[in-house]
Amino acid sequence: MHYATEEQRRGTLKILEFVRILKDADVRVSPVEVIDVFGALGHVDFTSRAVFKQALSTTLIKDYTDIPIFERCFGEFFDRRPADEADASLAVFRGAQADGAEGEGLPSGDELREAGDAIDAYIDGLPDETLATLSARDIVNLILDDESLASSSGALGMMVMNARSRRGRSESDADEEGDDAALTFIIGRVRRRLRERNIGRSIRAREEYLLNKYIYQLKPAEVQEMRELVRRFGQKLKNRISLRKKRVKHGGLDVKRTLRSNLAHGGIPFRLYYRDKKIDRPQLVVLCDISSSVNQYSRFMLLLTYTLQGLFSKVRTFAFISNMVEITPLFMEMDPERALNSIFTDTSFTYGFGSNYGRCFNQFIDDYSDSLGRKTTVLVLGDARNNNQDPGMNSFIRIKESSRNIFWLNPDRRHLWDWSDSIAGLYAAHCTEMKEVNNFLDLSEFIDRLFK
Amino acid sequence: MFKDVESTIKALESQQYLCSREIATTVFLAMKMEKPVLVEGPAGVGKTELGKCIASALGMDLIRLQCYEGLDEAKALYEWEYAKQLLYTQILKDKLSALLEGEKTLSDAIARLTAEEDVFFSEKFLIPRPILKSVTAKRPTLLLIDEIDKSDSEFEAFLLEVLSDFQVSIPEIGTIRAERKPFVLLTSNNAREMSDALKRRCLHLYIDFPSMDLEERIVTIKVPECGERLVSELVAAVHRIRELPLKKGPSISESLDWAKALTLLGCDVLRRDLAIDTLNFILKYEKDIELVKKHSADVFAH
């Protein structure tokens, strides 16, 4: 490809690199959108940061849930790079000069920039698989050992030669500061380049780490981060499922409506109307154990349930420790976060000591069996640690019999089921499925499957 | 056509629409690149208003298509006027038999009739609906497709052709291309996600609640009778309220209503007791009002 100016070439590469970083962070960018970015930049004055940023965002980001990711990538990629970074590295050299080293042979600003670019190009030239296995130190050594770089006439060649001589000697022998600066410059530049290349990947790695982490092992600081992520992922999941559900819709001919609307044309059926197939949206009843052993986990489940509320035709939620309470109204009138807080500070869930599943199931059958029906999917969340009390098996079987299916999500690991006071096995025998779910990814996969 | 981003801001301001540089950039780019814009954001931040103001700033005709569940191509693109076709065939019955008189066999008659078929499926019997209207318009036109998220996903498929090529294909007639491309603005409240195909064809604009400074200017320009002190106190309070965990936070249009109401009540400062009594102008859930009352000491200055 031909570029009119050097500036244009650098600019183009920068944008393409930014696109790659977005893709690394799991943002979908199609080729048309990349073409659009360049189309857009031709029309605006991109020396204004706000305009430049919006031009990128408006053409590249089509999903509003990706906007926070875009903000972060943009911030790290464009803002954390001071315009006069070359000057900063020049200062390293100047400092060396002030310390009494020889003035001659010091690189100019342009030369530093050229050397920097050459380092970037060198790193970009390495195959991705190789790069993944190398540390910054390894790459510095690779550069220093590269004969073709050392013998090249450019600024980097000069610097490599200097740095090599520095490396050859021991630390105490630092008499030629200029050489030292060359090595510092190369190391600094390699680190910067690696960090830049990994902006997207590190965002994604962080998300995957959080999504895969055992929910009860999350640290308080991570919980906050996780909440944001649950919102974002929940929204994405909802969007995905809602698109999928809409695909199967048209049913048979709606005779009544066709006749009625074509009466105006003397009963000749010009326009046909079809009966919409009933979309099979499940009704959901969620029974959440909110005792301290599974509390964190229930929080995320409830948060996710309410993000997805629109997908179900009806959601009713109940929370219990040893007393079953319907919490649906709380979510109807409050922000989910606030509703959750008020649930977890309330005390009306306890009656006696610790979780009592049996008592709660009995209570559910007595008071709320109207919430069950042929279309209802029941979700139970809890570790089935019943504190050696009556399991209320009869009620549990009645719940199963009066609903379509019943799933139990158990945050305990499978080998701990039936251990100590857990009676998971007893309940599992009567569930459609009892599933070990202890991180957010499992949770969202489970919900995803409900709609297949 | 806007000249640059700055003049877009100015032109919209002349329509009493104050917008951020981000909004102006997208609008300006969309015009230059001849691409539709998909506008998303919370309810009441002025998405529809943006469309109206662009149209009036540039003297364009505004064609608005309000989406709803069950909206189909007959209501959005075009429809054949069956009653008229039927009427004409009745009236022209004699003419038809005269036409077919010479033909000996049934198949000859059908062949003869087929040759004339075009008469009945021509533009004379076509009722243009908003989208076709915007494509065939002679004057500069802004097509505002409002609340696209309320329509069914099948409807999106009809839109794709218009959004990328500015044309409508009618099987019986052929393809009608726009001589003058309309400026298309789609708004969505995120009730459901749009398909990737649709998004690829559009520029994306997310309008969030404005900054404090911008909102003060919006209230001042829209409710000029509202005093300066009241404006700044009211906007500050609204911003603090938006930070609370509410089911539904106050939108811009609701802040405007509140400003009008308080001005009518003769306030020039935001007094806490009066503010609490009029909270129902900006909050629509009882529990939200309760929450703000609980935090009233932090929210209101006086």
Side-chain angles (χ1 to χ4, degrees), chain A residues 15 26 42 44 68 93 110 155 176 189 204 206 254 285 294 314 362 381 399 408:
Chain A
I15 306 261
D26 218 9
V44 292
F93 286 90
D110 278 348
E176 281 185 72
R189 189 65 187 218
R204 185 171 175 174
R206 177 75 184 160
D254 186 341
V285 169
V294 286
K314 200 173 181 191
N362 291 335
L381 289 107
I399 295 176
W408 190 305

Side-chain angles (χ1 to χ4, degrees), chain A residues 113-397:
Chain A
R113 185 164 157 170
E114 188 196 322
D117 282 353
I119 293 175
D120 288 357
Y122 184 83
I123 294 175
D124 294 342
L126 294 172
D128 281 349
E129 312 85 74
T130 323
L131 208 53
T133 63
L134 297 177
S135 69
R137 200 24 104 169
D138 295 338
I139 294 171
V140 172
N141 286 334
L142 266 183
I143 291 176
L144 295 186
D145 293 337
D146 195 307
E147 283 311 320
S148 61
L149 275 183
S151 56
S152 68
S153 58
L156 182 59
M158 193 62 202
M159 221 175 260
V160 167
M161 291 304 285
N162 290 340
R164 268 184 180 183
S165 63
R166 172 75 191 86
R167 191 174 56 158
R169 276 171 276 123
S170 67
E171 291 291 324
S172 59
D173 198 14
D175 54 322
E176 281 185 72
E177 295 284 343
D179 301 345
D180 208 14
L183 188 58
T184 315
F185 175 80
I186 294 177
I187 296 175
R189 189 65 187 218
V190 168
R191 289 230 173 90
R192 190 188 100 179
R193 186 63 192 156
L194 288 181
R195 196 197 67 226
E196 252 177 32
R197 286 182 60 102
N198 283 321
I199 294 172
R201 238 167 275 149
S202 60
I203 291 178
R204 185 171 175 174
R206 177 75 184 160
E207 285 185 351
E208 272 169 15
Y209 164 77
L210 284 177
L211 293 177
N212 280 304
K213 190 163 180 174
Y214 279 9
I215 286 173
Y216 58 83
Q217 285 178 354
L218 288 172
K219 300 188 191 84
E222 289 173 336
V223 168
Q224 190 51 43
E225 213 179 327
M226 188 70 189
R227 272 189 211 141
E228 288 302 308
L229 205 59
V230 170
R231 266 173 215 266
R232 209 166 78 78
F233 256 77
Q235 192 64 41
K236 270 192 190 296
L237 185 65
K238 179 179 172 185
N239 294 341
R240 210 170 63 224
I241 295 174
S242 66
L243 275 179
R244 184 164 66 212
K245 284 320 283 182
K246 291 274 179 171
R247 281 202 191 114
V248 277
K249 222 190 146 192
H250 277 313
L253 187 72
D254 186 341
V255 180
K256 257 192 213 164
R257 197 172 162 209
T258 305
L259 280 180
R260 201 178 329 120
S261 73
N262 285 303
L263 273 177
H265 315 133
I268 301 167
F270 279 105
R271 258 193 86 71
L272 302 180
Y273 289 92
Y274 295 92
R275 208 182 289 282
D276 285 346
K277 215 174 247 171
K278 283 248 165 59
I279 301 177
D280 191 20
R281 284 190 300 183
Q283 289 180 9
L284 199 62
V285 169
V286 185
L287 309 178
C288 259
D289 180 358
I290 55 165
S291 66
S292 55
S293 57
V294 286
N295 156 336
Q296 195 63 269
Y297 170 78
S298 300
R299 253 175 189 273
F300 283 115
M301 185 63 208
L302 287 171
L303 196 59
L304 185 65
T305 311
Y306 276 89
T307 314
L308 300 178
Q309 197 170 20
L311 293 175
F312 302 97
S313 58
K314 200 173 181 191
V315 181
R316 283 181 76 176
T317 333
F318 301 86
F320 64 90
I321 296 176
S322 51
N323 207 19
M324 184 75 85
V325 176
E326 175 157 19
I327 51 174
T328 322
L330 291 179
F331 285 95
M332 306 257 260
E333 54 202 17
M334 284 192 248
D335 171 77
E337 201 63 41
R338 192 177 152 217
L340 285 173
N341 284 336
S342 67
I343 291 166
F344 286 101
T345 49
D346 204 326
T347 49
S348 63
F349 302 103
T350 47
Y351 180 88
F353 169 77
S355 300
N356 186 339
Y357 284 75
R359 183 173 187 277
C360 293
F361 289 141
N362 291 335
Q363 211 182 343
F364 183 79
I365 281 295
D366 289 345
D367 298 346
Y368 305 110
S369 47
D370 62 317
S371 64
L372 301 174
R374 213 162 40 80
K375 289 179 188 165
T376 327
T377 296
V378 180
L379 274 186
V380 186
L381 289 107
D383 53 9
R385 291 175 185 274
N386 200 30
N387 296 307
N388 304 316
Q389 299 169 92
D390 170 38
M393 251 7 249
N394 285 334
S395 296
F396 189 70
I397 292 169

Side-chain angles (χ1 to χ4, degrees), chain B residues 92-107:
Chain B
L92 299 175
K93 225 176 199 166
D94 300 339
K95 195 95 182 136
L96 280 174
S97 34
L99 184 75
L100 299 176
E101 209 168 343
E103 308 299 339
K104 293 199 174 58
T105 66
L106 193 59
S107 55

Side-chain angles (χ1 to χ4, degrees), chain A residues 28 30 32-33 36-37 39-41 43-44 48 50-51 54-55 57-59 61-64 67 235 238-239 242-243 246-247 249-250 264-266 268 270-271 273 309 331-335 337-338, chain B residues 5 21-23 25-26 28-29 32-33 35 38 40 69 72 74 79 82-83 85-86 151-154 190-196 199-206 245-247 285 287-288 290-291:
Chain A
R28 271 164 68 183
S30 72
V32 193
E33 285 154 352
D36 281 347
V37 175
L41 289 177
H43 293 294
V44 292
S48 153
V51 172
Q54 181 66 13
S57 146
T58 200
T59 45
I61 305 298
K62 302 296 169 71
D63 187 340
Y64 65 99
I67 292 179
Q235 192 64 41
K238 179 179 172 185
N239 294 341
S242 66
L243 275 179
K246 291 274 179 171
R247 281 202 191 114
K249 222 190 146 192
H250 277 313
H265 315 133
I268 301 167
F270 279 105
R271 258 193 86 71
Y273 289 92
Q309 197 170 20
F331 285 95
M332 306 257 260
E333 54 202 17
M334 284 192 248
D335 171 77
E337 201 63 41
R338 192 177 152 217
Chain B
V5 176
R21 177 154 286 119
E22 283 78 21
I23 296 176
T25 304
T26 300
F28 170 70
L29 280 175
K32 277 282 177 193
M33 298 166 75
K35 281 197 154 248
L38 172 63
E40 294 184 300
E69 215 179 311
D72 56 6
E79 191 170 23
Y82 301 117
Q85 283 172 338
L86 206 61
S151 68
D152 312 303
S153 44
E154 291 89 351
N190 313 117
R192 80 180 167 82
E193 183 79 339
M194 300 295 116
S195 71
D196 285 340
K199 286 180 175 172
R200 268 202 303 278
R201 287 165 171 80
C202 301
L203 296 186
H204 186 263
L205 175 63
Y206 187 83
L246 298 174
K247 181 100 176 158
Y285 287 90
K287 288 279 173 186
D288 284 351
E290 233 171 67
L291 184 72

Side-chain angles (χ1 to χ4, degrees), chain B residues 16-18 214-232 234-235 252-267:
Chain B
Q16 300 213 330
Y17 190 91
L18 299 178
L214 186 58
E215 190 157 0
E216 274 181 25
R217 286 172 48 217
I218 294 173
V219 177
T220 312
I221 202 169
K222 289 280 188 185
V223 195
E225 62 276 19
C226 187
E228 200 176 310
R229 177 148 178 220
L230 180 59
V231 170
S232 70
L234 178 142
V235 170
I252 302 180
S253 46
E254 283 159 346
S255 334
L256 292 177
D257 289 344
W258 202 27
K260 275 177 210 155
L262 289 172
T263 315
L264 283 176
L265 291 172
C267 302

